[in-house]
Amino acid sequence: MRARPLSRIWAAMRVQRRSLAASFLTLSRVPLGGFPYQPEEYRAASRYFPLVGSVVGGAGALAFQVSLPLGEVGAALISVAVMTLCTGGLHEDGLADTADALFGSFDRDKLFSILKDSRLGSFGVLTLVLVLGFRVTMIASLDARAPTALLLSATLTRVAPVWLMSFLPYVTPRTNAKSSVVAAAGPLENAIATGLGVLVLGAGWRWGGISVHELLCICLGLPGLSLFLAWRFRVRAGGWTGDFLGATQQCAECLVLAALSWP
């Protein structure tokens, strides 16, 4: 009689452990293995996206500290490069494709055609250069606070895509769907991911030197940006795609870094 509840608990813990691994395999290049993963494990993966961000941000923070003798700009550039390597440029690729699609099309069919095209257009290149340059500049301006900012921004900005997944339909055509296995995020995934973000933000305020006005800027700015992007994605495409999630993360990272750099 006692073995059955224990076995259920163990099975539930195993599903969550594998869902955590699936989240890393979805958002990063960390070679965890464990294939094949079941659909229910992928469905729960999005709740752990902020934890993936914490690891990516931690790698960037460590890279910044190690390369600081090169100067703040050099250290910022290396930290961004390390984080991009950790994710395989997944979010940056989504940002570039989204910029090409939104600015280079006037109808929905053309938008999806551009998203499917692997080539990079002028809008994508310009947006990518500007965003990368902005991130490096903001990180360099933070000086000693940069490692904390890298950890916080990488964590918090993985919450915003989960919000979009929870409240917008997934609209990528089935012939090109790469995110369908994690697309079924619901209220539980939203609540857990948001809770993890709140915990990290609270820790940053308590021990990381975040001021009250920086806290307010992030708490108001991040949902506001997410609502704006959700509205645009809904109007232009009818919902979200994997590329839109990457663009959301990159825009959110710029917002968080700007809030932490504001005098």
Side-chain angles (χ1 to χ4, degrees):
M1 296 295 291
R2 294 180 181 177
R4 186 173 297 175
L6 288 175
S7 64
R8 290 177 179 174
I9 293 173
W10 178 254
M13 290 177 61
R14 182 177 184 275
V15 170
Q16 296 308 309
R17 177 178 59 81
R18 288 181 59 79
S19 295
L20 176 60
S23 70
F24 276 91
L25 292 170
T26 302
L27 292 188
S28 76
R29 292 295 180 91
V30 179
L32 295 179
F35 294 101
Y37 286 85
Q38 301 302 313
E40 63 269 17
E41 294 165 349
Y42 272 116
R43 278 196 297 269
S46 60
R47 66 182 63 171
Y48 299 117
F49 281 1
L51 295 181
V52 180
S54 296
V55 173
V56 173
L62 179 62
F64 184 91
Q65 288 286 67
V66 171
S67 56
L68 195 53
L70 299 176
E72 286 80 4
V73 175
L77 184 60
I78 290 174
S79 66
V80 170
V82 167
M83 291 190 293
T84 304
L85 287 173
C86 288
T87 62
L90 178 69
H91 309 300
E92 288 79 5
D93 178 70
L95 173 69
D97 288 344
T98 298
D100 278 333
L102 293 182
F103 295 114
S105 66
F106 296 98
D107 60 81
R108 191 170 296 182
D109 291 338
K110 179 65 173 178
L111 183 146
F112 284 114
S113 176
I114 293 174
L115 288 175
K116 187 177 180 180
D117 193 342
S118 60
R119 293 172 296 179
L120 196 59
S122 57
F123 290 116
V125 172
L126 288 171
T127 302
L128 193 57
V129 169
L130 289 173
V131 167
L132 287 173
F134 184 84
R135 289 168 60 195
V136 169
T137 303
M138 291 298 99
I139 294 167
S141 70
L142 286 163
D143 298 325
R145 300 179 66 205
T148 299
L150 286 165
L151 181 60
L152 282 174
S153 63
T155 303
L156 295 174
T157 56
R158 265 72 178 185
V159 179
V162 184
W163 292 342
L164 266 64
M165 294 170 68
S166 301
F167 296 113
L168 291 179
Y170 181 56
V171 293
T172 298
R174 292 185 179 273
T175 55
N176 195 42
K178 297 179 181 179
S179 303
S180 59
V181 288
V182 295
L188 181 59
E189 283 69 36
N190 193 348
I192 293 175
T194 302
L196 291 172
V198 169
L199 286 175
V200 171
L201 186 58
W205 177 56
R206 180 66 178 83
W207 297 293
I210 297 179
S211 66
V212 174
H213 85 271
E214 291 170 343
L215 185 69
L216 289 175
C217 285
I218 294 172
C219 289
L220 295 176
L222 201 56
L225 175 66
S226 300
L227 284 173
F228 172 75
L229 292 175
W231 167 64
R232 292 309 302 158
F233 297 154
R234 180 73 176 186
V235 169
R236 295 298 309 277
W240 68 271
T241 71
D243 286 326
F244 290 170
L245 297 186
T248 299
Q249 188 279 325
Q250 289 286 287
C251 292
E253 188 160 348
C254 289
L255 184 147
V256 173
L257 289 174
L260 295 175
S261 302
W262 202 269

